[in-house]
Amino acid sequence: MAQACAKEMQKQKSGSIINIASIAAIKGFPGLSHYCASKGGMVAMSKVMAVELSPLGIRVNVINPGAIDTPGASNASMTDDQEKAILAPIPMKRQGKAEEVANAVLFLASDESSYMTGSTMVVDGGWVAVEASREVAGAVNAILRRNAVAGAAGSRRVAPRPRRSVDEPRRGIAPEFGAPAVAVDVGAGAGGRVVYGLGAICARERPHPGYR
């Protein structure tokens, strides 16, 4: 279908293709490897399409819905406990509405998103955000526990080596938080840094002088 649409859009040198995937593209669901793989493939395919079709004036983006209240979902026979289990990890504590996904489609189809292509929009009530924050918190806690053990053993930290690999964590002070932090490069080309503080994240567009 995307190929057929692209041929017509090419004639007018403009167009917007919106593919619907799922948060299963970026989150693992036990027992649904086939579903997760297919949705992940759709996201990857859409990124390739965005690069290939951009010279033709065609934008390609993806929407990853979470738990959405659709006729198919409503017909599924679930117990109250099962329904509560589904809503438990969602910060908004409800399923999304089909209209809310449609609104995201309208945005990506309009000129309001004219500088967006190859992007993935998540419409999930915060489900993926919660999982991400838990992972970051776990990583930060592991670092703090390791440092505490090292301190108890009487070890001392030495000055950082002059040269480090791009992916190697660097210790420093996050001025926004006034607390020890670990800076990890998110892209050498972009020169960006993600700073993991004490349970907080600071995404920088430019590296702090202390992390160069």
Side-chain angles (χ1 to χ4, degrees), residues 165-167 170 184-193 207:
S165 65
V166 173
D167 296 328
R170 312 181 186 188
V184 180
D185 290 359
V186 295
R193 301 288 188 272

Side-chain angles (χ1 to χ4, degrees), residues 67-69 73 78 83 86-87 90 93-97 100:
I68 306 299
D69 186 10
M78 291 189 297
E83 186 172 357
I86 291 177
L87 298 180
I90 303 175
K93 299 304 178 187
R94 67 173 177 86
Q95 289 184 315
K97 301 175 183 178
E100 292 172 315

Side-chain angles (χ1 to χ4, degrees), residues 93-195:
K93 299 304 178 187
R94 67 173 177 86
Q95 289 184 315
K97 301 175 183 178
E99 307 91 84
E100 292 172 315
V101 178
N103 288 337
V105 172
L106 287 173
F107 169 71
L108 291 176
S110 72
D111 290 338
E112 297 297 324
S113 61
S114 57
Y115 198 54
M116 290 180 64
T117 192
S119 300
T120 301
M121 180 178 291
V122 178
V123 183
D124 69 342
W127 191 346
V128 171
V130 168
E131 296 299 321
S133 65
R134 287 174 181 170
E135 292 172 3
V136 170
V140 171
N141 289 336
I143 292 170
L144 295 178
R145 286 196 300 271
R146 182 188 64 193
N147 292 344
V149 171
S155 63
R156 297 180 60 188
R157 293 201 168 273
V158 297
R161 297 189 304 274
R163 295 176 180 271
R164 292 177 180 267
S165 65
V166 173
D167 296 328
E168 185 176 358
R170 312 181 186 188
R171 291 197 58 78
I173 298 295
E176 290 84 356
F177 312 123
V182 175
V184 180
D185 290 359
V186 295
R193 301 288 188 272
V194 174
V195 180

